[in-house]
Amino acid sequence: MRASLRYLALGLAGALGVSGTVLGGSAAVAHDDRGHGGQDAPVTAELPKVPTMTGGGGAVSSVDPLASQVGIDVLERGGTAADAAVAAAATLGVTEPYSAGIGGGGFFVHHSAETGQIRTIDGRETAPATFTEDEFLGEDGEPLDFATVVSSGKSVGVPGTLATWETAAEEFGTMDLHDLLRPAERIAARGFVVDENFQEQTAQNAERFGMFPETAELFLPDGEAPEVGTVFRNPDLARTYHSIRHEGTGAFYEGATARAVVDASRAPTTAEGVEVLAGELTLADLASYEALLKEPTRTEYRGLDVYGMGLPSSGGITVAETLNLLEAYDERTGTGLAEVSDAQYLHRFSEASATAFADRNRWIGDVEGVPVEELTSQEFADERACLFDPGQAQERPVPFGEPDGEYAECGVPGARQPEPVGGVSTTHLNVADRWGNVVSYTLTIEQTGGSGITVPDHGFLLNNELTDFSFAPATEGVADPNLPGPGKRPRSSMSPTIVLKDGEPWMSVGTPGGATIITTVAQILTGHVDRDLALVDAVAAPRLSSRNGVERTDLGLSGSATGQELTELGHEFEDVRWIGNASAIRLLDGDRFEAAAETERGYGGSAMVVHPEP
């Protein structure tokens, strides 16, 4: 069955021009460069969504089958994991435009088979040079309305996605960006089949998209969300990709596209009677942008080395503290996480993540002096674990701790801070190639639909990432490292993660979901490692996201017998439809891979390998 799905995928992708000829062949290149494929036959069928696949040659897992297929084609033609990740991400910019694209940013984590090193690329958006700490305060000194700022130019940061792709291709790839963007350009021009997720997200944003005429014209043809099964084309985005391929990234950061981005953010075109806040981006802000190569975070968990994204992301740090707390709870109770009931497992998980979030919210931001080593140390977690009671949930919000390097049996707690506001969109992909290079990559435009502003004649939405800054200090008299500032990068929860076992790559995992990203990644890891869940089952399991405020659950967890036991322990839940849309890859013995994606969330994800096992 898996093999037949693979062959079906190849046939449909061939019709797209994605497989076989897109990355090679002079005739295909000449045709593609002539007119972006705009008059070619549209896509007439969907690639199948397969939640798990095992085999050789390399693997890709993402939320979208077209993106996964493009990545597989790159691997099949000898590209590295980084090459495949860039090509797949560019495709997500077409098929998942409300979650990602060149109007946003993200974090790229890479394992090199040659050196054994894990490096990261910080492609987070930056604030304009004019931003100050009180940027999101009104004339009365009170924070501006969050939703008002979201749908405005004021929320738009300098996009970092394209710079990330260029850096990844140059540092870790073997193919030119010119070739890696070609499949996405063709898909944008020829169209893709609208699925339930695309239709639903469009409909949910219809009112907001209607505020901006360019956005409405592109995504609401005839004034409504496109129907499932119809073909959606984005010729403007195809032309933008074409320009970048032939003129380089300078076209985006310094050329005509840069001017269009600045104009759209500073003076968004709005529908009659609609006024929105203006942005402050300048051409100098775009021209000075850099995607930064950085070292990852690291912690040890059950003998595994867990690597994640460092500042300005809080993801790697907070996942690490959560895992360290779980090991500390084992020591305090004398019972391992693998041995307790499902309710006790989730109780421990909830308490650990709430505690880690208390420390995250207090200490993490794009500033000097963040105590990363202490926050990710086992000694700090051991001190913080003194708050844990196996028979009772802690009062929320949990007070933050002091990661000062001087630890006692039980530290003096700090203030109790409220949970910050944030979005829940974003997308994630994982790639592993035949040589053992691995990529875990999370990219975003923040809210579903970002700022709602489409760059005229360019076909992509601008981010609203600057709403990830704290609008005001969380607690009076307590320093907030996440206040806005000139050129500053807002704190993120994105948690692309690579796990090594005995020095070799073992897993790549990540998810969208705003601040729930951190809890989802940690829960997948513990579900697979401690609770003996198959990888696809760990990805699909009902979620509990405890972020030091209201605890959220999905897929009926709160109403289950386990949920009732947790309620008796003092947990208070808010049930939501879906938390995240995760994906993962396991590297098995030899040249074998297990790819996994969601079975239900987002109407299912897409797991593929180059050579499926029957």
Side-chain angles (χ1 to χ4, degrees):
M1 179 62 174
R2 290 175 183 167
S4 65
L5 287 172
R6 165 69 174 149
Y7 298 139
L8 174 60
L10 283 171
L12 293 174
L16 268 173
V18 173
S19 180
T21 60
V22 164
L23 296 172
S26 58
V29 172
H31 170 80
D32 178 68
D33 290 350
R34 183 171 66 239
H36 323 301
Q39 299 303 314
D40 292 332
V43 182
T44 56
E46 290 183 84
L47 292 170
K49 287 187 173 182
V50 181
T52 184
M53 193 178 287
T54 302
V60 181
S61 59
S62 79
V63 301
D64 178 70
L66 273 179
S68 292
Q69 184 62 59
V70 166
I72 288 292
D73 290 333
V74 173
L75 293 179
E76 200 163 31
R77 287 188 164 269
T80 67
D83 294 324
V86 170
T91 303
L92 288 172
V94 180
T95 60
E96 296 278 321
Y98 309 141
S99 299
I102 56 176
F107 297 118
F108 191 102
V109 180
H110 179 269
H111 170 268
S112 167
E114 181 178 0
T115 67
Q117 281 189 314
I118 292 180
R119 300 293 304 280
T120 74
I121 304 173
D122 170 7
R124 186 64 159 158
E125 300 85 343
T126 57
T130 54
F131 260 38
T132 62
E133 284 195 351
D134 60 357
E135 196 67 40
F136 296 120
L137 300 181
E139 293 181 0
D140 59 359
E142 294 298 313
L144 297 173
D145 176 66
F146 183 80
T148 298
V149 179
V150 165
S151 300
S152 78
K154 199 172 188 66
S155 69
V156 180
V158 179
T161 290
L162 190 59
T164 300
W165 296 348
E166 182 177 50
T167 302
E170 291 178 351
E171 293 287 333
F172 310 127
T174 58
M175 302 177 70
D176 291 334
L177 199 60
H178 176 278
D179 294 322
L180 295 175
L181 296 186
R182 182 183 290 129
E185 179 189 332
R186 290 172 66 89
I187 293 168
R190 300 172 75 169
F192 62 91
V193 177
V194 172
D195 64 10
E196 293 94 336
N197 199 50
F198 186 89
Q199 193 278 335
E200 187 175 281
Q201 289 185 339
T202 309
Q204 290 171 345
N205 278 279
E207 182 177 352
R208 193 163 73 98
F209 287 173
M211 296 167 57
F212 305 101
E214 285 89 1
T215 304
E217 182 180 358
L218 176 59
F219 295 114
L220 299 170
D222 302 320
E224 296 182 352
E227 295 183 5
V228 174
T230 60
V231 174
F232 182 85
R233 296 181 178 86
N234 192 338
D236 284 346
L237 182 57
R239 284 188 288 271
T240 301
Y241 276 155
H242 188 82
S243 172
I244 294 165
R245 287 180 56 226
H246 290 274
E247 299 174 34
T249 58
F252 185 91
Y253 286 104
E254 298 182 84
T257 303
R259 291 190 291 274
V261 168
V262 168
D263 291 345
S265 64
R266 292 180 71 90
T269 302
T270 57
E272 186 176 354
V274 174
E275 294 185 8
V276 300
L277 298 170
E280 299 178 30
L281 285 185
T282 66
L283 288 172
D285 291 325
L286 266 75
S288 63
Y289 183 84
E290 290 184 77
L292 305 174
L293 283 163
K294 295 182 175 180
E295 295 302 313
T297 62
R298 177 191 171 277
T299 194
E300 184 178 328
Y301 185 70
R302 316 297 193 203
L304 302 168
D305 291 309
V306 181
Y307 290 88
M309 190 68 213
L311 301 173
S313 179
S314 64
I317 298 167
T318 311
V319 167
E321 185 179 346
T322 299
L323 298 177
N324 290 339
L325 283 163
L326 290 172
E327 291 195 321
Y329 296 167
D330 288 357
E331 286 293 319
R332 284 186 170 268
T333 62
T335 307
L337 198 60
E339 304 167 41
V340 300
S341 68
D342 286 345
Q344 271 296 315
Y345 158 59
L346 290 175
H347 172 59
R348 292 189 187 190
F349 183 80
S350 175
E351 297 299 279
S353 56
T355 303
F357 262 87
D359 300 324
R360 171 236 193 217
N361 296 341
R362 167 61 184 91
W363 298 106
I364 299 176
D366 185 19
V367 295
E368 294 292 330
V370 176
V372 175
E373 284 193 26
E374 296 302 327
L375 288 167
T376 58
S377 71
Q378 189 61 54
E379 292 78 12
F380 178 59
D382 290 344
E383 180 181 85
R384 296 289 280 147
C386 79
L387 300 175
F388 176 69
D389 181 346
Q392 181 67 43
Q394 299 173 69
E395 178 188 349
R396 306 294 198 264
V398 175
F400 62 78
E402 292 287 339
D404 55 10
E406 299 291 332
Y407 303 123
E409 176 67 15
C410 198
V412 177
R416 298 178 185 269
Q417 298 185 314
E419 179 183 352
V421 178
V424 295
S425 190
T426 306
T427 192
H428 180 83
L429 61 91
N430 310 275
V431 186
D433 65 32
R434 71 187 79 167
W435 301 285
N437 302 299
V438 180
V439 169
S440 185
Y441 181 26
T442 311
L443 58 160
T444 183
I445 59 172
E446 182 58 7
Q447 300 284 130
T448 303
S451 65
I453 301 170
T454 297
V455 179
D457 302 320
H458 286 74
F460 64 90
L461 288 155
L462 291 174
N463 68 83
N464 67 289
E465 295 295 349
L466 302 186
T467 58
D468 268 354
F469 283 122
S470 302
F471 283 23
T475 304
E476 187 176 353
V478 177
D480 190 325
N482 192 43
L483 292 173
K488 197 174 176 181
R489 303 185 183 211
R491 181 174 61 204
S492 171
S493 298
M494 289 184 278
S495 309
T497 301
I498 292 177
V499 182
L500 304 187
K501 184 176 184 179
D502 299 326
E504 298 295 327
W506 186 73
M507 180 191 288
S508 173
V509 61
T511 184
T516 70
I517 291 172
I518 292 167
T519 54
T520 293
V521 167
Q523 193 177 341
I524 291 171
L525 287 171
T526 57
H528 188 56
V529 173
D530 296 294
R531 307 301 290 177
D532 202 28
L533 294 178
L535 187 60
V536 70
D537 293 336
V539 168
R543 298 269 170 262
L544 189 160
S545 185
S546 177
R547 306 184 307 280
N548 208 25
V550 175
E551 298 180 61
R552 291 177 175 85
T553 59
D554 75 351
L555 302 184
L557 175 60
S558 64
S560 68
T562 297
Q564 291 301 313
E565 289 184 59
L566 289 166
T567 300
E568 291 171 5
L569 290 172
H571 294 274
E572 299 180 7
F573 298 126
E574 176 187 322
D575 199 39
V576 297
R577 183 186 182 190
W578 292 329
I579 296 175
N581 188 351
S583 56
I585 291 173
R586 267 285 313 277
L587 288 85
L588 308 175
D589 295 335
D591 181 27
R592 295 177 64 246
F593 305 85
E594 178 186 6
E598 293 284 0
T599 58
E600 180 175 346
R601 298 180 182 94
Y603 297 97
S606 175
M608 293 186 184
V609 296
V610 174
H611 302 302
E613 295 176 355

